Amino acid sequence: MKPRQSSPTMEQVHLAAKLADLKEDHYRLLLSLGAMTEILIEKGLLTREELALKAAALDLELDTLVSASLRPMA
């Protein structure tokens, strides 16, 4: 027996369901990361300033890498 082809509408429904699952996973991951960050700060192992500085440094590093990858090699 030949498998039945799914309709474009059903493919969109499945895609929307996958996206909803990803959004839920993303929310849970950010919630866990936020909780761990707060615990580290409460225990005095990390300050908000250290976190902000590290985030800014990593963001700059990523921007530099992306910019370099978009430039053609000379």
Side-chain angles (χ1 to χ4, degrees):
M1 190 187 286
K2 197 177 198 183
R4 192 171 164 212
Q5 297 278 336
S6 60
S7 70
T9 302
M10 281 309 292
E11 288 178 18
Q12 288 179 351
V13 168
H14 289 297
L15 184 60
K18 287 179 184 179
L19 181 58
D21 289 343
L22 285 173
K23 286 175 75 174
E24 179 69 19
D25 291 346
H26 184 251
Y27 168 76
R28 295 282 172 210
L29 181 63
L30 287 176
L31 185 62
S32 296
L33 183 59
M36 288 189 299
T37 302
E38 288 300 318
I39 290 169
L40 291 171
I41 290 169
E42 288 170 6
K43 290 182 177 270
L45 300 172
L46 180 69
T47 67
R48 292 188 192 283
E49 292 78 19
E50 290 171 323
L51 184 62
L53 284 171
K54 180 54 89 172
L58 291 173
D59 189 42
L60 180 60
E61 184 179 337
L62 181 60
D63 281 348
T64 302
L65 287 171
V66 169
S67 293
S69 70
L70 294 177
R71 281 189 234 118
M73 296 181 72

